[in-house]
Amino acid sequence: MAFDTLLPRPVSVTPAPGSCPWPSTVDVRPASLPPEGYRLSISPSGVVLEVADAAGEVYGRETLRQLAGPAAFRAAGFTPSSLPCGVVEDHPRFGWRGCLLDVARHFRTKAEVLRFVDLLAAHKLNVLNLHLTDDQGWRFEVPAFPRLTSVGGWRPSSMVGSGGAQDGRPHGGFYTGDDLREIVAYAASRAVTVVPEIDIPGHARAALAAYPSLGDSSSYEVWDSWGISTSLLSPSSSTLDFFRQVFDHLLEIFPSPVIALGGDETPGATDEHRKFVRLLAEHLVARGRTPMGWDEVLDIDGLPPMVIGAWRNEDAGVRAASAGHDVVMCPEQHVYLDHRQSADPGEPIPVGWVHTLEDVYAYSPALEGPRLRGVQAQVWSEHLDSVRRVDYMAFPRLSAFAEVAWSSGPRDYTEFLPRLRDHHLPRLDALGVEYRPLDGPHPWQTRPGVPGRPR
Protein backbone atom coordinates (compact mmCIF):
# COMPACT_ATOMS: atom_id res chain seq x y z
CA MET A 1 0.00 0.00 0.00
CA ALA A 2 1.53 3.33 -1.10
CA PHE A 3 1.80 6.54 0.89
CA ASP A 4 -0.53 8.36 -1.52
CA THR A 5 -3.45 6.28 -0.20
CA LEU A 6 -3.46 7.87 3.26
CA LEU A 7 -6.58 9.63 4.55
CA PRO A 8 -6.58 12.23 6.00
CA ARG A 9 -3.70 13.52 3.90
CA PRO A 10 -0.53 13.97 5.99
CA VAL A 11 1.63 17.10 6.13
CA SER A 12 4.50 15.52 4.22
CA VAL A 13 5.59 12.17 2.82
CA THR A 14 9.08 11.25 1.62
CA PRO A 15 9.09 7.82 -0.04
CA ALA A 16 12.29 5.78 0.05
CA PRO A 17 13.44 2.67 -1.81
CA GLY A 18 13.01 -0.77 -0.34
CA SER A 19 10.48 -2.40 1.94
CA CYS A 20 10.17 -3.19 5.63
CA PRO A 21 9.22 -6.69 6.84
CA TRP A 22 5.82 -6.56 8.55
CA PRO A 23 4.68 -7.09 11.22
CA SER A 24 7.65 -5.59 13.00
CA THR A 25 8.44 -3.99 16.35
CA VAL A 26 7.63 -0.28 16.42
CA ASP A 27 10.27 1.75 18.26
CA VAL A 28 8.35 4.65 19.86
CA ARG A 29 10.39 7.71 20.87
CA PRO A 30 9.45 11.15 22.21
CA ALA A 31 10.23 14.08 19.94
CA SER A 32 9.80 17.82 19.71
CA LEU A 33 6.82 18.04 17.36
CA PRO A 34 3.57 20.02 17.26
CA PRO A 35 0.82 18.75 19.60
CA GLU A 36 -0.64 15.40 18.45
CA GLY A 37 2.11 15.18 15.85
CA TYR A 38 4.20 12.21 14.81
CA ARG A 39 7.07 11.29 12.51
CA LEU A 40 6.90 7.77 11.10
CA SER A 41 10.15 6.42 9.63
CA ILE A 42 9.93 3.05 7.86
CA SER A 43 13.15 1.43 6.66
CA PRO A 44 14.32 -2.08 5.81
CA SER A 45 15.65 -2.35 9.36
CA GLY A 46 12.36 -1.49 11.07
CA VAL A 47 9.87 1.19 12.10
CA VAL A 48 10.61 4.23 14.26
CA LEU A 49 7.67 6.30 15.49
CA GLU A 50 8.59 9.66 17.00
CA VAL A 51 5.71 11.32 18.80
CA ALA A 52 4.84 14.61 20.45
CA ASP A 53 2.51 12.95 22.95
CA ALA A 54 0.24 9.96 23.49
CA ALA A 55 -2.16 11.17 20.81
CA GLY A 56 0.68 11.36 18.32
CA GLU A 57 1.42 7.68 18.95
CA VAL A 58 -2.25 6.78 18.32
CA TYR A 59 -2.24 8.65 15.00
CA GLY A 60 1.10 7.25 13.91
CA ARG A 61 -0.17 3.73 14.51
CA GLU A 62 -3.36 4.51 12.58
CA THR A 63 -1.18 5.58 9.64
CA LEU A 64 0.73 2.31 9.91
CA ARG A 65 -2.57 0.44 9.81
CA GLN A 66 -3.58 2.26 6.64
CA LEU A 67 -0.24 1.42 5.04
CA ALA A 68 -0.82 -2.24 5.93
CA GLY A 69 -3.89 -2.28 3.67
CA PRO A 70 -7.66 -2.68 4.14
CA ALA A 71 -7.34 -6.21 5.52
CA ALA A 72 -5.56 -4.75 8.56
CA PHE A 73 -8.89 -3.12 9.52
CA ARG A 74 -10.64 -6.46 9.93
CA ALA A 75 -11.14 -7.80 13.43
CA ALA A 76 -8.81 -10.71 12.66
CA GLY A 77 -6.06 -8.20 11.83
CA PHE A 78 -4.72 -9.64 8.58
CA THR A 79 -1.50 -7.90 7.57
CA PRO A 80 0.83 -7.86 4.56
CA SER A 81 4.36 -9.24 4.62
CA SER A 82 5.98 -5.82 4.11
CA LEU A 83 5.44 -2.07 4.20
CA PRO A 84 6.83 0.58 1.84
CA CYS A 85 9.81 2.54 3.11
CA GLY A 86 9.69 6.26 3.68
CA VAL A 87 9.00 9.02 6.19
CA VAL A 88 5.61 10.49 7.10
CA GLU A 89 5.61 13.69 9.12
CA ASP A 90 2.23 14.82 10.30
CA HIS A 91 0.23 16.93 12.73
CA PRO A 92 -3.34 18.24 12.73
CA ARG A 93 -4.69 21.48 11.36
CA PHE A 94 -7.13 21.95 14.27
CA GLY A 95 -6.99 20.93 17.91
CA TRP A 96 -10.73 20.26 18.01
CA ARG A 97 -11.77 17.75 15.36
CA GLY A 98 -15.17 16.75 16.55
CA CYS A 99 -18.35 14.88 15.74
CA LEU A 100 -21.61 15.17 17.64
CA LEU A 101 -23.57 11.95 18.08
CA ASP A 102 -27.17 12.41 19.19
CA VAL A 103 -28.10 9.45 21.41
CA ALA A 104 -31.13 11.21 22.91
CA ARG A 105 -33.56 11.09 19.97
CA HIS A 106 -32.58 7.51 19.11
CA PHE A 107 -30.57 5.61 21.68
CA ARG A 108 -27.33 3.96 20.63
CA THR A 109 -26.16 1.07 22.77
CA LYS A 110 -22.86 1.20 24.60
CA ALA A 111 -21.36 -1.21 22.07
CA GLU A 112 -22.49 1.02 19.21
CA VAL A 113 -20.95 4.09 20.85
CA LEU A 114 -17.66 2.25 21.33
CA ARG A 115 -17.74 1.30 17.65
CA PHE A 116 -18.36 4.94 16.72
CA VAL A 117 -15.35 5.95 18.83
CA ASP A 118 -13.24 3.46 16.85
CA LEU A 119 -14.44 5.06 13.61
CA LEU A 120 -13.56 8.55 14.86
CA ALA A 121 -10.09 7.41 15.88
CA ALA A 122 -9.54 5.71 12.52
CA HIS A 123 -10.11 9.13 10.93
CA LYS A 124 -7.91 11.03 13.43
CA LEU A 125 -10.94 12.82 14.87
CA ASN A 126 -10.51 13.56 18.55
CA VAL A 127 -13.78 14.83 20.09
CA LEU A 128 -17.04 12.94 20.56
CA ASN A 129 -19.73 15.45 21.56
CA LEU A 130 -22.26 13.09 23.16
CA HIS A 131 -25.76 14.62 23.13
CA LEU A 132 -27.25 12.82 26.14
CA THR A 133 -30.58 14.55 26.78
CA ASP A 134 -33.42 16.06 24.80
CA ASP A 135 -37.21 16.29 24.58
CA GLN A 136 -37.40 12.70 23.32
CA GLY A 137 -35.23 10.97 25.91
CA TRP A 138 -32.85 11.27 28.87
CA ARG A 139 -29.89 8.87 28.57
CA PHE A 140 -27.72 9.77 31.61
CA GLU A 141 -28.26 7.93 34.89
CA VAL A 142 -28.27 10.24 37.93
CA PRO A 143 -28.71 8.12 41.11
CA ALA A 144 -30.15 11.03 43.08
CA PHE A 145 -32.91 11.45 40.51
CA PRO A 146 -33.88 7.97 39.28
CA ARG A 147 -37.00 9.11 37.42
CA LEU A 148 -34.80 10.88 34.86
CA THR A 149 -34.16 7.46 33.34
CA SER A 150 -37.06 5.33 34.61
CA VAL A 151 -39.55 7.86 33.20
CA GLY A 152 -37.51 10.17 30.97
CA GLY A 153 -35.50 7.37 29.40
CA TRP A 154 -38.26 5.99 27.20
CA ARG A 155 -41.23 7.04 25.09
CA PRO A 156 -44.20 4.98 23.93
CA SER A 157 -43.85 5.80 20.23
CA SER A 158 -41.80 7.76 17.69
CA MET A 159 -42.74 9.91 14.73
CA VAL A 160 -41.86 8.30 11.38
CA GLY A 161 -40.23 10.86 9.15
CA SER A 162 -41.78 14.31 9.28
CA GLY A 163 -45.37 13.58 8.31
CA GLY A 164 -46.75 13.11 11.82
CA ALA A 165 -47.40 9.36 11.59
CA GLN A 166 -46.37 7.33 14.64
CA ASP A 167 -44.80 3.88 14.68
CA GLY A 168 -46.43 2.81 17.96
CA ARG A 169 -43.18 1.21 19.08
CA PRO A 170 -41.75 1.95 22.55
CA HIS A 171 -38.21 3.32 22.41
CA GLY A 172 -35.74 3.82 25.22
CA GLY A 173 -32.45 3.15 26.89
CA PHE A 174 -29.84 4.89 29.03
CA TYR A 175 -26.24 4.60 30.16
CA THR A 176 -25.25 3.77 33.71
CA GLY A 177 -22.38 5.64 35.30
CA ASP A 178 -20.14 2.62 34.71
CA ASP A 179 -21.20 2.49 31.05
CA LEU A 180 -20.15 6.10 30.59
CA ARG A 181 -16.89 5.66 32.50
CA GLU A 182 -16.10 2.77 30.19
CA ILE A 183 -16.90 4.86 27.11
CA VAL A 184 -14.72 7.71 28.41
CA ALA A 185 -11.76 5.42 29.17
CA TYR A 186 -12.09 3.56 25.88
CA ALA A 187 -12.18 6.83 23.98
CA ALA A 188 -9.19 8.25 25.88
CA SER A 189 -7.09 5.23 24.90
CA ARG A 190 -7.81 6.22 21.30
CA ALA A 191 -7.05 9.94 21.84
CA VAL A 192 -10.75 10.86 21.76
CA THR A 193 -12.21 13.20 24.39
CA VAL A 194 -15.90 12.69 25.18
CA VAL A 195 -17.65 16.03 25.69
CA PRO A 196 -21.06 15.38 27.29
CA GLU A 197 -24.08 17.57 26.69
CA ILE A 198 -27.04 18.09 29.02
CA ASP A 199 -29.37 20.49 27.19
CA ILE A 200 -30.98 23.34 29.16
CA PRO A 201 -33.34 25.26 29.45
CA GLY A 202 -35.08 23.93 26.33
CA HIS A 203 -34.94 20.46 24.78
CA ALA A 204 -35.91 19.28 28.27
CA ARG A 205 -39.30 17.55 27.95
CA ALA A 206 -37.85 14.21 29.08
CA ALA A 207 -36.63 15.79 32.33
CA LEU A 208 -39.96 17.59 32.76
CA ALA A 209 -41.86 14.34 32.28
CA ALA A 210 -39.77 12.77 35.04
CA TYR A 211 -40.02 15.73 37.42
CA PRO A 212 -42.86 18.10 36.46
CA SER A 213 -41.91 20.48 39.28
CA LEU A 214 -38.94 21.51 37.12
CA GLY A 215 -41.41 23.27 34.81
CA ASP A 216 -44.52 25.39 34.86
CA SER A 217 -47.08 22.62 34.36
CA SER A 218 -48.31 19.72 36.44
CA SER A 219 -48.02 17.21 33.60
CA TYR A 220 -45.59 16.52 30.77
CA GLU A 221 -44.84 13.55 28.57
CA VAL A 222 -41.60 12.49 26.90
CA TRP A 223 -42.07 13.94 23.45
CA ASP A 224 -42.83 11.52 20.62
CA SER A 225 -42.44 14.15 17.86
CA TRP A 226 -39.53 15.91 16.21
CA GLY A 227 -39.03 19.65 16.00
CA ILE A 228 -38.73 22.40 18.60
CA SER A 229 -40.78 21.99 21.75
CA THR A 230 -41.97 25.16 23.48
CA SER A 231 -41.64 23.52 26.92
CA LEU A 232 -38.88 25.13 28.97
CA LEU A 233 -37.46 24.48 32.41
CA SER A 234 -38.70 26.85 35.08
CA PRO A 235 -35.81 29.22 35.92
CA SER A 236 -36.53 28.84 39.65
CA SER A 237 -33.96 28.41 42.40
CA SER A 238 -35.12 24.82 43.00
CA THR A 239 -34.66 23.92 39.32
CA LEU A 240 -31.26 25.58 39.34
CA ASP A 241 -30.24 23.53 42.39
CA PHE A 242 -31.52 20.34 40.70
CA PHE A 243 -29.37 20.90 37.62
CA ARG A 244 -26.35 21.90 39.64
CA GLN A 245 -26.56 18.43 41.19
CA VAL A 246 -27.03 16.83 37.76
CA PHE A 247 -23.97 18.61 36.38
CA ASP A 248 -21.93 17.81 39.49
CA HIS A 249 -22.61 14.12 38.93
CA LEU A 250 -21.71 14.55 35.26
CA LEU A 251 -18.35 16.03 36.28
CA GLU A 252 -17.59 12.95 38.40
CA ILE A 253 -17.80 10.78 35.28
CA PHE A 254 -16.48 12.98 32.47
CA PRO A 255 -12.98 14.47 32.88
CA SER A 256 -13.38 16.57 29.72
CA PRO A 257 -12.21 20.17 30.27
CA VAL A 258 -15.29 21.27 28.27
CA ILE A 259 -18.86 20.47 29.36
CA ALA A 260 -21.78 21.32 27.06
CA LEU A 261 -25.04 22.78 28.38
CA GLY A 262 -27.00 23.46 25.19
CA GLY A 263 -28.92 26.73 25.39
CA ASP A 264 -30.37 26.47 21.88
CA GLU A 265 -33.86 26.73 20.40
CA THR A 266 -35.75 28.25 23.33
CA PRO A 267 -38.85 30.01 21.97
CA GLY A 268 -40.48 32.04 24.71
CA ALA A 269 -37.34 32.27 26.83
CA THR A 270 -37.26 35.19 29.27
CA ASP A 271 -34.45 37.11 30.90
CA GLU A 272 -34.83 34.72 33.84
CA HIS A 273 -34.19 31.74 31.54
CA ARG A 274 -31.11 33.46 30.19
CA LYS A 275 -29.90 34.13 33.74
CA PHE A 276 -30.50 30.43 34.51
CA VAL A 277 -28.11 29.45 31.70
CA ARG A 278 -25.53 31.98 32.86
CA LEU A 279 -25.65 30.72 36.45
CA LEU A 280 -25.12 27.11 35.35
CA ALA A 281 -22.24 28.22 33.12
CA GLU A 282 -20.71 29.99 36.12
CA HIS A 283 -21.23 26.84 38.19
CA LEU A 284 -19.18 24.82 35.67
CA VAL A 285 -16.44 27.47 35.73
CA ALA A 286 -16.38 27.32 39.53
CA ARG A 287 -15.88 23.56 39.22
CA GLY A 288 -12.85 24.10 36.98
CA ARG A 289 -14.49 23.34 33.63
CA THR A 290 -15.23 25.41 30.53
CA PRO A 291 -18.91 25.54 29.56
CA MET A 292 -19.90 25.06 25.94
CA GLY A 293 -23.14 26.37 24.50
CA TRP A 294 -24.78 26.69 21.11
CA ASP A 295 -24.56 30.14 19.56
CA GLU A 296 -27.97 31.31 20.87
CA VAL A 297 -26.31 31.83 24.26
CA LEU A 298 -24.50 34.84 22.81
CA ASP A 299 -27.70 36.77 23.54
CA ILE A 300 -27.09 36.27 27.28
CA ASP A 301 -25.39 39.13 29.12
CA GLY A 302 -22.52 38.49 31.50
CA LEU A 303 -21.50 35.02 30.30
CA PRO A 304 -18.15 33.72 31.49
CA PRO A 305 -15.66 32.81 28.74
CA MET A 306 -17.12 29.77 26.97
CA VAL A 307 -16.73 27.57 23.95
CA ILE A 308 -19.43 28.44 21.44
CA GLY A 309 -20.71 25.92 18.92
CA ALA A 310 -21.49 28.09 15.91
CA TRP A 311 -24.27 26.09 14.28
CA ARG A 312 -26.71 28.60 12.79
CA ASN A 313 -24.21 30.26 10.46
CA GLU A 314 -20.60 31.31 10.08
CA ASP A 315 -21.31 34.83 11.33
CA ALA A 316 -22.24 33.41 14.73
CA GLY A 317 -18.70 32.14 15.13
CA VAL A 318 -17.22 35.49 14.18
CA ARG A 319 -19.51 37.20 16.67
CA ALA A 320 -18.55 34.75 19.42
CA ALA A 321 -14.84 35.30 18.86
CA SER A 322 -15.35 39.07 18.93
CA ALA A 323 -17.09 38.66 22.31
CA GLY A 324 -14.05 36.84 23.73
CA HIS A 325 -15.24 33.24 23.46
CA ASP A 326 -13.51 30.30 21.84
CA VAL A 327 -15.34 28.82 18.86
CA VAL A 328 -16.05 25.43 17.34
CA MET A 329 -17.43 25.90 13.84
CA CYS A 330 -20.28 23.49 13.06
CA PRO A 331 -22.67 25.36 10.72
CA GLU A 332 -25.72 23.46 9.54
CA GLN A 333 -25.25 24.85 6.04
CA HIS A 334 -22.08 22.76 5.67
CA VAL A 335 -21.48 19.98 8.23
CA TYR A 336 -24.84 18.64 9.41
CA LEU A 337 -24.62 15.01 8.37
CA ASP A 338 -28.30 14.29 9.03
CA HIS A 339 -29.01 16.50 6.01
CA ARG A 340 -29.69 14.77 2.71
CA GLN A 341 -26.77 13.71 0.52
CA SER A 342 -28.32 14.49 -2.86
CA ALA A 343 -31.46 16.00 -4.35
CA ASP A 344 -32.57 12.59 -5.61
CA PRO A 345 -36.02 11.72 -4.18
CA GLY A 346 -34.69 8.24 -3.41
CA GLU A 347 -32.55 9.60 -0.57
CA PRO A 348 -34.01 8.09 2.61
CA ILE A 349 -36.05 10.56 4.69
CA PRO A 350 -34.63 13.67 2.98
CA VAL A 351 -33.96 16.35 5.59
CA GLY A 352 -32.44 19.82 5.32
CA TRP A 353 -30.17 21.09 2.60
CA VAL A 354 -28.21 18.98 0.14
CA HIS A 355 -24.73 18.32 1.52
CA THR A 356 -22.90 16.19 -1.01
CA LEU A 357 -19.59 14.51 -0.33
CA GLU A 358 -17.93 17.24 -2.39
CA ASP A 359 -19.73 19.96 -0.44
CA VAL A 360 -18.46 18.62 2.87
CA TYR A 361 -14.93 18.25 1.49
CA ALA A 362 -14.99 21.88 0.33
CA TYR A 363 -15.88 23.31 3.76
CA SER A 364 -13.46 25.75 5.33
CA PRO A 365 -14.44 27.88 8.34
CA ALA A 366 -14.77 31.63 7.80
CA LEU A 367 -13.15 32.33 11.17
CA GLU A 368 -9.39 32.24 11.62
CA GLY A 369 -7.10 32.98 14.53
CA PRO A 370 -6.52 31.83 18.09
CA ARG A 371 -10.21 31.85 19.07
CA LEU A 372 -10.99 29.08 16.58
CA ARG A 373 -10.57 25.78 18.42
CA GLY A 374 -11.63 23.74 15.43
CA VAL A 375 -14.55 22.22 13.59
CA GLN A 376 -17.26 19.67 14.29
CA ALA A 377 -19.64 17.60 12.19
CA GLN A 378 -23.11 16.90 13.56
CA VAL A 379 -25.04 13.61 13.47
CA TRP A 380 -28.53 14.39 14.77
CA SER A 381 -30.64 11.27 15.02
CA GLU A 382 -34.35 12.10 14.69
CA HIS A 383 -34.47 10.04 11.51
CA LEU A 384 -31.59 7.67 12.29
CA ASP A 385 -33.30 4.84 14.14
CA SER A 386 -30.53 2.25 13.74
CA VAL A 387 -26.77 2.09 13.57
CA ARG A 388 -27.14 1.22 9.87
CA ARG A 389 -28.86 4.56 9.30
CA VAL A 390 -26.07 6.33 11.22
CA ASP A 391 -23.50 4.63 8.99
CA TYR A 392 -25.37 5.67 5.86
CA MET A 393 -25.65 9.34 6.80
CA ALA A 394 -22.21 9.74 8.37
CA PHE A 395 -20.04 7.93 5.85
CA PRO A 396 -18.23 8.62 3.65
CA ARG A 397 -18.97 12.30 4.36
CA LEU A 398 -17.31 12.05 7.77
CA SER A 399 -14.21 10.73 5.99
CA ALA A 400 -14.17 13.88 3.87
CA PHE A 401 -14.73 16.02 6.97
CA ALA A 402 -11.78 14.32 8.68
CA GLU A 403 -9.48 15.66 6.00
CA VAL A 404 -10.98 19.14 6.43
CA ALA A 405 -10.25 18.96 10.16
CA TRP A 406 -6.79 17.38 10.00
CA SER A 407 -5.04 18.36 6.78
CA SER A 408 -3.55 21.79 6.12
CA GLY A 409 -3.10 23.43 2.75
CA PRO A 410 -5.26 23.47 -0.35
CA ARG A 411 -7.65 20.61 -1.06
CA ASP A 412 -8.44 19.15 -4.46
CA TYR A 413 -11.58 17.03 -4.70
CA THR A 414 -10.39 15.42 -7.94
CA GLU A 415 -7.35 14.14 -6.03
CA PHE A 416 -9.35 13.16 -2.95
CA LEU A 417 -12.10 11.20 -4.70
CA PRO A 418 -9.99 8.36 -6.15
CA ARG A 419 -8.05 8.14 -2.88
CA LEU A 420 -11.35 7.71 -1.05
CA ARG A 421 -12.97 5.42 -3.62
CA ASP A 422 -10.07 3.10 -4.35
CA HIS A 423 -8.36 2.94 -0.96
CA HIS A 424 -10.46 4.28 1.91
CA LEU A 425 -13.85 2.79 1.10
CA PRO A 426 -12.27 -0.70 1.19
CA ARG A 427 -11.11 0.15 4.73
CA LEU A 428 -14.67 1.06 5.67
CA ASP A 429 -15.83 -2.21 4.07
CA ALA A 430 -13.36 -4.10 6.24
CA LEU A 431 -14.66 -2.28 9.31
CA GLY A 432 -18.23 -3.24 8.42
CA VAL A 433 -19.42 0.33 7.83
CA GLU A 434 -22.61 0.45 5.72
CA TYR A 435 -21.81 3.79 4.09
CA ARG A 436 -23.71 5.40 1.24
CA PRO A 437 -22.27 4.27 -2.10
CA LEU A 438 -20.91 7.14 -4.17
CA ASP A 439 -23.56 6.66 -6.85
CA GLY A 440 -26.53 6.51 -4.47
CA PRO A 441 -28.18 4.23 -1.91
CA HIS A 442 -28.51 0.50 -2.15
CA PRO A 443 -32.18 -0.54 -2.40
CA TRP A 444 -32.20 -1.64 1.25
CA GLN A 445 -30.89 1.78 2.31
CA THR A 446 -33.91 3.65 0.95
CA ARG A 447 -37.10 4.44 2.90
CA PRO A 448 -39.86 4.69 0.29
CA GLY A 449 -42.94 6.59 1.35
CA VAL A 450 -41.45 8.09 4.52
CA PRO A 451 -41.73 11.89 4.24
CA GLY A 452 -38.80 14.09 5.09
CA ARG A 453 -38.36 17.82 5.54
CA PRO A 454 -36.10 19.01 2.72
CA ARG A 455 -35.16 22.66 2.39
Side-chain angles (χ1 to χ4, degrees):
M1 191 63 62
F3 291 101
D4 59 3
T5 67
L6 297 174
L7 191 156
R9 189 188 67 241
V11 171
S12 69
V13 171
T14 307
S19 61
C20 171
W22 190 253
S24 174
T25 300
V26 179
D27 182 7
V28 180
R29 305 172 184 174
S32 179
L33 293 165
E36 302 180 89
Y38 66 92
R39 184 184 299 112
L40 180 64
S41 302
I42 306 172
S43 70
S45 59
V47 177
V48 175
L49 178 57
E50 299 171 275
V51 301
D53 45 34
E57 180 176 353
V58 169
Y59 302 135
R61 290 186 182 277
E62 283 295 340
T63 294
L64 272 173
R65 185 162 68 146
Q66 289 196 12
L67 290 171
F73 286 78
R74 296 191 176 275
F78 302 113
T79 57
S81 59
S82 65
L83 297 179
C85 289
V87 177
V88 179
E89 187 154 344
D90 205 7
H91 60 266
R93 176 188 184 191
F94 293 120
W96 185 298
R97 305 178 302 283
C99 184
L100 178 142
L101 181 63
D102 172 13
V103 297
R105 271 57 172 264
H106 278 107
F107 180 67
R108 298 269 64 83
T109 67
K110 181 192 73 175
E112 289 168 340
V113 175
L114 296 178
R115 174 181 180 269
F116 198 76
V117 167
D118 282 338
L119 294 175
L120 297 185
H123 289 85
K124 299 184 172 73
L125 297 170
N126 70 341
V127 174
L128 172 60
N129 185 179
L130 201 57
H131 185 76
L132 288 166
T133 70
D134 217 292
D135 295 311
Q136 297 84 3
W138 183 285
R139 311 297 176 206
F140 169 58
E141 180 188 47
V142 183
F145 305 117
R147 287 175 60 86
L148 286 173
T149 46
S150 66
V151 174
W154 75 279
R155 59 181 183 265
S157 185
S158 303
M159 192 163 72
V160 182
S162 296
Q166 292 284 321
D167 64 6
R169 179 182 180 185
H171 180 84
F174 66 92
Y175 308 106
T176 67
D178 284 344
D179 290 336
L180 291 169
R181 290 183 182 92
E182 181 182 358
I183 290 169
V184 166
Y186 187 87
S189 71
R190 287 150 179 78
V192 174
T193 298
V194 182
V195 174
E197 181 178 359
I198 302 293
D199 212 336
I200 53 96
H203 290 285
R205 277 277 286 272
L208 291 167
Y211 294 97
S213 61
L214 298 173
D216 297 320
S217 172
S218 61
S219 178
Y220 298 90
E221 294 179 350
V222 179
W223 213 22
D224 60 8
S225 297
W226 316 130
I228 302 173
S229 169
T230 57
S231 300
L232 302 178
L233 297 169
S234 168
S236 64
S237 59
S238 60
T239 303
L240 181 64
D241 181 65
F242 182 100
F243 275 90
R244 281 174 173 154
Q245 293 181 66
V246 168
F247 276 100
D248 283 347
H249 184 59
L250 193 78
L251 301 184
E252 293 176 7
I253 294 173
F254 292 90
S256 167
V258 175
I259 303 293
L261 48 68
D264 60 316
E265 297 180 327
T266 53
T270 66
D271 287 343
E272 288 302 305
H273 288 101
R274 287 182 274 276
K275 179 182 177 182
F276 180 85
V277 175
R278 176 175 59 78
L279 290 173
L280 279 173
E282 290 173 349
H283 181 76
L284 291 174
V285 171
R287 296 292 189 270
R289 309 296 181 95
T290 300
M292 179 178 184
W294 302 114
D295 57 59
E296 288 96 327
V297 303
L298 294 172
D299 296 330
I300 301 172
D301 293 332
L303 284 175
M306 294 179 61
V307 175
I308 301 298
W311 77 271
R312 288 183 295 177
N313 51 53
E314 298 274 289
D315 291 343
V318 175
R319 178 186 169 202
S322 298
H325 302 290
D326 286 355
V327 179
V328 173
M329 290 296 241
C330 47
E332 67 170 336
Q333 297 88 350
H334 300 282
V335 293
Y336 268 43
L337 302 185
D338 57 314
H339 285 206
R340 55 197 172 127
Q341 305 192 57
S342 80
D344 190 298
E347 289 293 342
I349 316 182
V351 170
W353 292 297
V354 173
H355 297 334
T356 66
L357 177 70
E358 185 173 4
D359 292 334
V360 173
Y361 188 72
Y363 175 63
S364 189
L367 180 66
E368 297 180 352
R371 289 293 181 190
L372 178 61
R373 288 202 177 196
V375 292
Q376 180 169 291
Q378 315 277 74
V379 181
W380 299 105
S381 71
E382 287 94 333
H383 307 293
L384 311 184
D385 59 356
S386 71
V387 72
R388 300 180 80 178
R389 292 281 293 122
V390 173
D391 277 6
Y392 177 87
M393 297 304 289
F395 294 98
R397 291 186 297 180
L398 193 59
S399 305
F401 175 81
E403 189 146 303
V404 171
W406 179 277
S407 303
S408 301
R411 293 190 301 278
D412 180 356
Y413 185 72
T414 61
E415 181 276 331
F416 168 79
L417 184 59
R419 185 158 39 92
L420 173 79
R421 180 190 61 229
D422 300 336
H423 303 288
H424 196 69
L425 293 186
R427 296 174 189 136
L428 296 183
D429 288 329
L431 287 166
V433 178
E434 294 194 63
Y435 56 85
R436 178 190 186 272
L438 298 180
D439 56 357
H442 293 298
W444 58 87
Q445 293 174 320
T446 63
R447 293 289 299 270
V450 178
R453 188 170 51 86
R455 300 190 199 177

